[in-house]
Each structure stands twice: as C-alpha cells, then as structure tokens.
Amino acid sequence: MDSLVIEGGARLRGAIKVNGSKNAALPIMAGALLANGPTYLKEVPNLSDINHQITLLRELGCEVERQADGALKIEVTDEKNSHARYDLVRKMRASICTLGPLLAKRKFARISMPGGCAIGDRPVDIHLRGLEALGAVIDLDGGDIIARADKLVGAEIFLGGNFGSTVLGTANVMSAATLAQGTTVIESAACEPEVADLANYLNAMGAKISGAGTPRITIEGVKELTGANHTVIPDRIEAGTFMIAAAITNGEIQLPNTRLDHLLAAVDKLRSIGVIVERDNGGCTVASVRRLEAATITTQPHPGFPTDLQAQFMALLAIADGNSVITEKIFPDRFLHVAELARLGARLHKEASTVIIQGQKRMVGAPVMASDLRASAALVLAGLAAKGTTTVMRVYHIDRGYERIENRLNAIGAKIKRVNQEELEL
Ligand code: EPU
C-alpha cells in the first residue's frame, strides 16, 4: 500500500493541465452499452475507478481499448451477460450507472446493490423508482437488483429526494429513457455538468434529449442509438482542488483548461476569502498573496457549492484568519477527514453535519490516514501547507480520482514522494 510523504511549505507556481472528468466519464462509458457500433471517448482520465469500469464493461461483453491517440474505444460485441457482480460493484459504486443502459438495451439487468461507503449511506431508491416509472419491474435477490422490462414507456418522473436530486440516478433514468417509447420528462433532475455531458454524448449517438443541465429534462425516445465520438469535459473537482493548492500555499497556479462556469460557487467562495481568480484564455490563474479570511459554506446540489470540494475547503479554512462554518447537506456524514486534519493541528468542532473551524496560523505535519477520495485530497493539501513532514497513508483512495497527483504537484514546486508502506516501516 502506497503513502505520500509531503514536505510542507513550498509555494506552488506554474501550470497544471486539468484532466477529463472522472464523474462525467463513468456514466458516459456505461452509456456506450446503448450503442450499436463503436464509441470513441477522448479525455478519459487514467484512474483506478476508470479501470474498474473498463473491467466491468468487458464482463458485460464490450471490447474496450485505448487507441494510439489516447481515446478510449468501447464496442459491444456480446450482449449475453448483464450481471454486474458484487466483487466489482463494491470496488466502485458508480458501477450502478450500467443499470439504466443495460435495462433499455438488453431488457434485463442484474446489478449487485451498492452498499454504503466511507462518505455515508448511499441509497439507490430514487434510481429504482425512476426506472419503475418507465415500466421496469424490479426485484431484489441475493443482494442483487434485478430489473426487467419488455418495453420501456416514456413517463413524467420526479427525481427529487431529501438531499436534493441524484446525479447517477438522473444518468440512469435519462439513459434508459433514450430508447423508451414516447416522451419522458424528468422533473427535479440533477443539474450537474456531468449530466449535461452525458446528454451531449447520448445526443451524438442519436438520442433526443433537451434541457440537460436544468431541473427539467425532456427525452423523446428513439428506436436505436449508434456509436459516437465524444470529448469528456474537464474535471471541475480536480480543477477546484488545484485552485485550493494555489490558495493554501500562497502560490500561483495556472489551469489552462478549466471551465469556470462549472465552478462558480467555489470560485465565489475563494474570491470572498481573498483568493485571486482570474479568467484567461479558456482557463484561469489562481493566486493568493496573504493570509485568507474565514467563510461560511453549505454544500448544495449544482450550481451550489459542491460536496466534492467540502473536505479540501476545510483544509484551507483551517489556516484562515477567523472562525469558519461548513455545513454538509448532501452527505451529512462526509466528515472522516475531520479527525485527520485535527492530527495536523486544525481546530475543528463537529456538531451533527456542521463543522466549526477555528483558523490557526499554521498546521504541523504528522502521519494521517486517507479514508475516501476527497478526504485524501484534503490531507494532501493540508500537508502542502503544514510545517514539516506529513505522511498520507492509504493513497489508493486518491488514485481513484487524481491521476499521478504527486508528479503533477511536484512539477510546480511541491515536495511529495510516493513510498510503499514497507519502505516506511524500514
Ligand atoms: N440519494 C438518495 N437516494 C438515491 C440516490 C441518492 O437518497 O436513490 C441521496 C444520497 O444519499 C445523497 C444525495 O441523494 O444524500 C445525492 O447523491 P447522488 O445520487 O447525487 O450521488 P451519486 O450520484 O451517487 C455523484 C458523484 C459523487 C458526488 C455526488 C454528489 C459520481 C460517480 N459520483 O454520486 O462523487 O459526491 O454525485 O454530487 O458521479 C466523488 O467524486 O468523490 C464523489 C463521491
């Protein structure tokens, strides 16, 4: 198991290319199951979650290969197996986004029910309700969701839940509705840019989707979808994480291909605490020249402040001037980073789904444990700012969502070494 050993205190300066979005690529790759013909996807990042999705697609009868130009080619060659096994689903929850495409194309899907994960309960009830509204019959057997539908018929479907809409639930229902008979209207759809990117891909395949990126999506069912070429959008969460890396080290990072329009809430918060974010050709430059101010943040569905940047902002506010408040409204238990940041000297007081952060002048390096993807990113950011050495253990979590993060940060001045646990123990 690898760890990252970080020498804190370096100011980061330079440019980093933001990779394609993991959370856009995963449902798009699943969408390729709907196609008759090959799909070519550009800007699919090289991450362990993507590799799990490739393994799953191969089990589901797809040929998947990276082309010489880096594009990922996916082509369905055998539709016999429609079973996503527990072994794969437990490694990567997003396997659930094969449910809608399999059901629509093959009329049958058997997907192991994803369990909870480090960020809390992750139910899929709304996904299932939406597919049932299209005419699917759903049963549970041996921990598997079994979904059948001789035909899907368009319907009006409400996808809101107690914590807002659902991103992958919207992806599942929207994908399934592309091949349904008649018109589907999804109300309270997730508005995340990743949903809009999936709709763009499905439309390139011949689907008729309008309104994706807004709370009402309309889908006119079509008889068949073909293969398509598509370029995945830049990863807004990776971009946000690098912006915080600039802010937390009082550095200056240029992100040449960042979609600022996908990050308005985070940029607004950064500016409000004193970070300089300047738009330039197709991207932005982020810099910080002084101690930052405190902030009050509440996570919300897009276009609100993203839960996937909550942990990273907590690391930043831990050294801001004054008391900050972060409230988590999407995953109320997503706080495993709190105890680890406290090991670095952050002063955090958690009460239900709110954390009060008493800003300190600095954090001090220590060994800490990564627990999930974004919590690990927060610990790396904290380590960049902390005095001395921080060792972030179990970095396989970070490899799920950030490609070679240490090399990319080292290229702009960070001092991070990847070591395996045995080396550490010597
Ligand atoms: N929810 C339900 N019922 C459902 C589905 C969701 O109650 O059937 C609840 C969830 O428990 C949560 C809220 O609705 O409280 C939102 O969950 P959502 O379904 O939108 O999450 P997701 O689609 O499973 C995606 C991202 C997450 C990101 C969330 C929220 C992917 C692969 N994952 O998950 O990304 O946090 O949307 O924006 O797209 C990450 O990248 O680190 C990550 C966890």
Side-chain angles (χ1 to χ4, degrees):
M1 232 183 277
D2 288 351
S3 298
L4 294 180
V5 180
I6 306 164
E7 286 306 320
R11 289 192 165 186
L12 304 191
R13 266 176 207 286
I16 306 186
K17 176 187 174 274
V18 175
N19 285 339
S21 160
K22 162 184 87 79
N23 288 351
L26 291 168
I28 288 173
M29 290 166 71
L33 290 163
L34 289 160
N36 291 328
T39 281
Y40 294 89
L41 299 176
K42 286 201 171 143
E43 294 295 334
V44 176
N46 190 3
L47 299 168
S48 59
D49 269 11
I50 297 291
N51 292 334
H52 288 314
Q53 190 78 324
I54 291 176
T55 307
L56 174 58
L57 289 177
R58 286 185 175 139
E59 284 208 2
L60 296 173
C62 299
E63 276 178 9
V64 187
E65 60 188 32
R66 286 264 180 197
Q67 307 292 104
D69 66 355
L72 193 69
K73 178 185 176 200
I74 306 174
E75 184 165 16
V76 181
T77 51
D78 178 351
E79 296 198 330
K80 276 201 295 294
N81 180 32
S82 298
H83 183 188
R85 293 178 298 112
Y86 181 55
D87 215 33
L88 288 173
V89 176
R90 80 186 163 79
K91 285 191 193 133
M92 208 233 349
R93 260 195 111 265
S95 321
I96 189 71
C97 55
T98 55
L99 177 60
L102 285 175
L103 179 69
K105 185 70 179 4
R106 305 185 188 180
K107 306 186 187 324
F108 173 79
R110 182 176 192 127
I111 314 280
S112 176
M113 173 80 103
C117 70
I119 68 177
D121 293 346
R122 309 274 305 262
V124 290
D125 55 312
I126 306 174
H127 301 227
L128 303 186
R129 230 174 46 214
L131 295 173
E132 278 171 341
L134 291 174
V137 176
I138 298 190
D139 294 301
L140 278 180
D141 180 28
D144 289 342
I145 299 162
I146 310 218
R148 292 188 177 82
D150 286 340
K151 69 171 187 193
L152 296 174
V153 180
E156 275 194 326
I157 303 174
F158 178 75
L159 283 188
N162 292 342
F163 300 97
S165 189
T166 157
V167 177
L168 292 182
T170 302
N172 259 328
V173 175
M174 183 172 78
S175 301
T178 57
L179 291 180
Q181 216 174 69
T183 304
T184 298
V185 178
I186 302 178
E187 294 286 1
S188 202
C191 301
E192 272 66 6
E194 294 76 18
V195 172
D197 202 32
L198 171 63
N200 287 339
Y201 163 63
L202 293 170
N203 283 342
M205 294 161 77
K208 293 195 174 148
I209 302 172
S210 57
T214 78
R216 175 185 289 162
I217 302 179
T218 304
I219 305 129
E220 307 280 344
V222 296
K223 288 229 153 56
E224 192 201 21
L225 295 174
T226 61
N229 296 344
H230 181 76
T231 302
V232 174
I233 52 172
D235 194 315
R236 67 193 164 102
I237 304 301
E238 188 177 86
T241 304
F242 291 142
M243 287 177 177
I244 298 170
I248 208 166
T249 63
N250 278 335
E252 180 170 322
I253 301 184
Q254 203 208 345
L255 301 167
N257 60 326
T258 295
R259 290 280 304 263
L260 276 191
D261 56 322
H262 292 169
L263 270 165
L264 292 180
V267 167
D268 183 59
K269 277 296 164 205
L270 286 171
R271 286 182 173 145
S272 78
I273 63 174
V275 180
I276 302 154
V277 183
E278 274 171 2
R279 197 184 278 272
D280 37 47
N281 319 332
C284 65
T285 299
V286 182
S288 154
V289 288
R290 60 176 173 90
R291 188 161 180 216
L292 299 170
E293 287 149 41
T296 299
I297 293 178
T298 300
T299 64
Q300 286 168 340
H302 191 79
F305 187 93
T307 172
D308 291 343
L309 286 175
Q310 179 256 108
Q312 299 91 315
F313 261 77
M314 194 177 293
L316 179 62
L317 295 175
I319 52 168
D321 188 8
N323 295 340
S324 298
V325 181
I326 294 187
T327 303
E328 175 56 66
K329 293 269 195 189
I330 308 293
F331 295 112
D333 297 326
R334 190 175 203 176
F335 284 122
L336 284 177
H337 44 284
V338 168
E340 301 302 309
L341 288 172
R343 286 179 53 73
L344 300 173
R347 288 237 184 125
L348 308 170
H349 174 74
K350 178 168 133 27
E351 190 66 53
S353 55
T354 293
V355 175
I356 296 167
I357 302 144
Q358 240 181 300
Q360 302 298 297
K361 280 230 162 69
R362 65 159 69 98
M363 288 183 271
V364 181
V368 287
M369 189 81 83
S371 55
D372 73 82
L373 170 56
R374 309 302 170 188
S376 332
L379 294 174
V380 170
L381 292 169
L384 289 173
K387 188 167 183 289
T389 309
T390 298
T391 304
V392 182
M393 289 178 271
R394 299 198 178 164
V395 290
Y396 58 86
H397 288 292
I398 210 165
D399 295 333
R400 288 185 38 219
Y402 299 86
E403 190 176 329
R404 297 175 297 102
I405 193 163
E406 70 279 20
N407 295 354
R408 294 159 80 201
L409 291 173
N410 285 345
I412 57 166
K415 293 184 181 135
I416 309 179
K417 235 171 55 189
R418 183 179 284 255
V419 296
N420 68 37
Q421 198 63 33
E422 280 141 32
E423 274 176 61
L424 268 183
E425 280 159 9
L426 286 178

